[in-house]
Amino acid sequence: MRQTAPDGRGPVRYGPPVPDTGLPVLPGLAGLLAAAAERTAPEPPGGGPVLREAASGYWWRRGLRTHPEDVVAGPGAPALLLALIAAHGGDLLMPRPCPARWTPQARLLGRPAYHVPTPAECGGVPDPYALLETVRRIRAEGGAPRLLLISVADDPTGTVAPPELVREACEAAVAEGLHVISDETWRDTLHQPRDTVFLSPAEMCPDDVTVVSDLGGALTPAAWPCAVARFPPTAPSHADRWTDRRSRVLDVLTALGAVVPGPVAPAAAHALDEPEDVTVRARLAATVHGRIAGAAHQAVLAAGALALPPRAGRHLYADLGPFRAGLAARGVTDSLELESHLTERLGVPASGGHRFGDELGALRVRIDTGMFLGTTGEERAETLRFRDPLDLAHVARGLTEFGGVLEELR
C-alpha cells in the first residue's frame, strides 16, 4: 500500500496555474506596491511585525484567537506547506482529489503520501471511516501517519464541505494522533456566503490544527507571493525551538531563503486589514465567478457529463467518464490525454485529474472560470461591473462554445 500517490505522466515541471480572478489590480494595492518599490530588504523570515499583526486581525475577525507570535508568513502557500511538512515527521494523508501542490511537496521531501476517498457530496475532506481504515492499514504495514491535509473550500472540486463532515473527519484524525493542516485559501471566495456555512477545523480542534491561507485566493493578485499560516497558540513557557513547530517552520523558511518580498509586504498587510475597497472587490469577484461557475456546471450536466455544484473558488471539476467511448474514438483514454485534448480545443489550460491525485484512467478535468471573463482587459473589467455577467455577449459566447466542445465529445 505504500506510496499510493500516483506518479502521473507528463513534464515534471508542469504545475496547473492557480485560478486567477482575471481582474485588474486594485489601485490602492498597486499604489502601496509602487510606494514600496525602492525597498531593497525583504521581510524577515516568517514576516515582519506589521504583516503578522494584520494576519492576526484577519483571523480574529473569523473567530480564531490569534496573536502575532502564532503567525508565520511566506512567499506563497507552496513554500509554507513545504516548511510545514518538513517540520512534522511521519507519513501524510490527504483527500482524493486534492490541490495540485500537495503531492509534489510530499514527493520532494521523500515522504510517503496516501490519498483517502472523499464522500459523494463534496471534496477536500476525507470520508471519516475511510480515513480511519487508511490509518489502520498504514500502521499495519509499518508506517507512521502523522499529518492530514484538508481543504474545506476545495480546489479542485469547488465544493465546501459541510460542518458535520469537517467535525467528524477532524475528530477522527485527532483521535488517531494526526495533526491537521487546513488550507483555507478559498474561504473568502464563497459564491453565496449567506447560504453556505464555512467551518474552519481550527474552530473545533484549536490545539491540533494549523491553518494556511494564500492571499492570492481572494485578497491580492496571484502574482504577488504572500501566504500566512496560523499555528495553535502555544504558551511561551512550553515552547522551544526543538519542540515548537512554528520555530521549526521558521528554520526551514530561513534555510530556503523563503521570505516575503519587501515591496509586497505593505500591500499584503493592507489587504489582510480588509479595508472596504479590498472586501468589495473580493465579494464582487466571488459573485461573478460564482455565477459563471454555476452556468458552466449546467453546461457540463446538459452535455451528459458529471460535476458537483461549485460553491467557492474560480473552478469546477468535471467527470467526463460518460464520454469514454466518444473520447476513445478521438484517442483520449486517460486524464493526461484529456488534458491535452481540451487544452487544445478550449485554447486555455484544462488540468487533468491526475494533477490532483486522481487515478490516471479517470477522465476528470478542472475547468477554470477565468476563461469566460473575456480576452481583453476591457472585457474582464466590464464583466466585473455588470449586474449579471451571463447577460454579456462575450461571456454567453464563451459558455456556448464550451458547451459545444463538450457536446462534440459524446
Side-chain angles (χ1 to χ4, degrees), residues 214-378:
D214 194 306
L215 273 63
L219 301 179
T220 63
W224 299 4
C226 186
V228 287
R230 176 198 179 270
F231 289 77
T234 302
S237 60
H238 293 92
D240 62 66
R241 67 185 303 267
W242 305 113
T243 60
D244 177 25
R245 291 192 178 95
R246 180 179 181 274
S247 296
R248 292 161 67 186
V249 166
L250 287 173
D251 287 342
V252 175
L253 293 175
T254 302
L256 294 174
V259 294
V260 177
V264 170
H270 179 75
L272 284 165
D273 285 335
E274 297 183 292
E276 185 177 7
D277 61 333
V278 172
T279 56
V280 168
R281 164 62 72 83
R283 184 71 258 132
L284 282 172
T287 300
V288 167
H289 281 278
R291 289 284 291 146
I292 294 174
H297 176 251
Q298 290 302 313
V300 170
L301 299 184
L306 306 172
L308 290 170
R311 305 295 185 197
R314 303 182 281 269
H315 48 274
L316 69 153
Y317 199 53
D319 183 350
L320 305 189
F323 301 165
R324 187 171 295 276
L327 287 167
R330 293 169 173 79
V332 177
T333 60
D334 60 27
S335 64
L336 178 65
E337 293 166 347
L338 178 63
E339 176 183 281
S340 299
H341 182 79
L342 280 181
T343 296
E344 180 179 357
R345 289 291 291 112
L346 296 174
V348 295
S351 304
H354 60 290
R355 306 294 181 186
F356 308 101
D358 255 332
E359 295 93 345
L360 185 64
L363 296 173
R364 301 189 181 107
V365 63
R366 187 185 71 183
I367 303 298
D368 299 353
T369 53
M371 63 183 284
F372 303 108
L373 296 181
T375 57
T376 66
E378 292 76 11

Side-chain angles (χ1 to χ4, degrees), residues 5-370:
D7 289 336
R9 288 156 51 187
V12 174
R13 290 175 296 278
Y14 172 84
V18 175
D20 191 15
T21 62
L23 302 172
V25 178
L26 280 171
L29 293 180
L32 287 169
L33 185 71
E38 295 184 3
R39 178 178 170 181
T40 58
E43 288 282 285
V50 174
L51 183 56
R52 290 187 289 110
E53 182 70 37
S56 300
Y58 170 87
W59 276 305
W60 269 105
R61 291 188 294 275
R62 284 152 182 79
L64 296 176
R65 180 174 63 88
T66 311
H67 299 94
E69 58 268 24
D70 305 323
V71 175
V72 164
L80 280 183
L81 284 169
L82 181 70
L84 282 164
I85 295 171
H88 289 78
D91 303 346
L92 281 69
L93 292 90
M94 57 191 75
R96 169 174 287 167
C98 66
R101 59 195 175 204
W102 288 3
T103 305
Q105 302 281 7
R107 291 181 186 150
L108 184 62
L109 293 170
R111 297 291 180 82
Y114 303 90
H115 289 109
V116 185
T118 55
E121 68 267 26
C122 69
V125 177
D127 177 87
Y129 296 102
L131 174 64
L132 291 173
E133 176 61 16
T134 303
V135 170
R136 184 193 67 79
R137 293 174 61 191
I138 295 172
R139 287 179 175 152
E141 295 182 2
R146 299 280 178 77
L147 199 61
L148 172 65
L149 277 63
I150 64 175
S151 56
V152 178
D154 185 42
D155 174 21
T157 65
T159 59
V160 178
E164 58 272 17
L165 172 64
V166 178
R167 179 177 296 278
E168 291 173 5
C170 289
E171 288 178 349
V174 171
E176 292 296 328
L178 304 181
H179 186 77
V180 178
I181 295 179
S182 176
D183 189 337
E184 299 182 6
T185 294
W186 301 103
R187 72 167 295 164
D188 296 318
T189 66
L190 302 184
H191 300 162
Q192 297 179 332
R194 294 183 179 179
D195 301 326
T196 307
V197 178
F198 181 99
L199 182 64
S200 171
E203 297 180 57
M204 63 189 70
C205 302
D207 297 328
D208 300 287
V209 176
T210 298
V211 178
V212 175
S213 181
D214 194 306
L215 273 63
L219 301 179
T220 63
W224 299 4
C226 186
V228 287
R230 176 198 179 270
F231 289 77
T234 302
S237 60
H238 293 92
D240 62 66
R241 67 185 303 267
W242 305 113
T243 60
D244 177 25
R245 291 192 178 95
R246 180 179 181 274
S247 296
R248 292 161 67 186
V249 166
L250 287 173
D251 287 342
V252 175
L253 293 175
T254 302
L256 294 174
V259 294
V260 177
V264 170
H270 179 75
L272 284 165
D273 285 335
E274 297 183 292
E276 185 177 7
D277 61 333
V278 172
T279 56
V280 168
R281 164 62 72 83
R283 184 71 258 132
L284 282 172
T287 300
V288 167
H289 281 278
R291 289 284 291 146
I292 294 174
H297 176 251
Q298 290 302 313
V300 170
L301 299 184
L306 306 172
L308 290 170
R311 305 295 185 197
R314 303 182 281 269
H315 48 274
L316 69 153
Y317 199 53
D319 183 350
L320 305 189
F323 301 165
R324 187 171 295 276
L327 287 167
R330 293 169 173 79
V332 177
T333 60
D334 60 27
S335 64
L336 178 65
E337 293 166 347
L338 178 63
E339 176 183 281
S340 299
H341 182 79
L342 280 181
T343 296
E344 180 179 357
R345 289 291 291 112
L346 296 174
V348 295
S351 304
H354 60 290
R355 306 294 181 186
F356 308 101
D358 255 332
E359 295 93 345
L360 185 64
L363 296 173
R364 301 189 181 107
V365 63
R366 187 185 71 183
I367 303 298
D368 299 353
T369 53

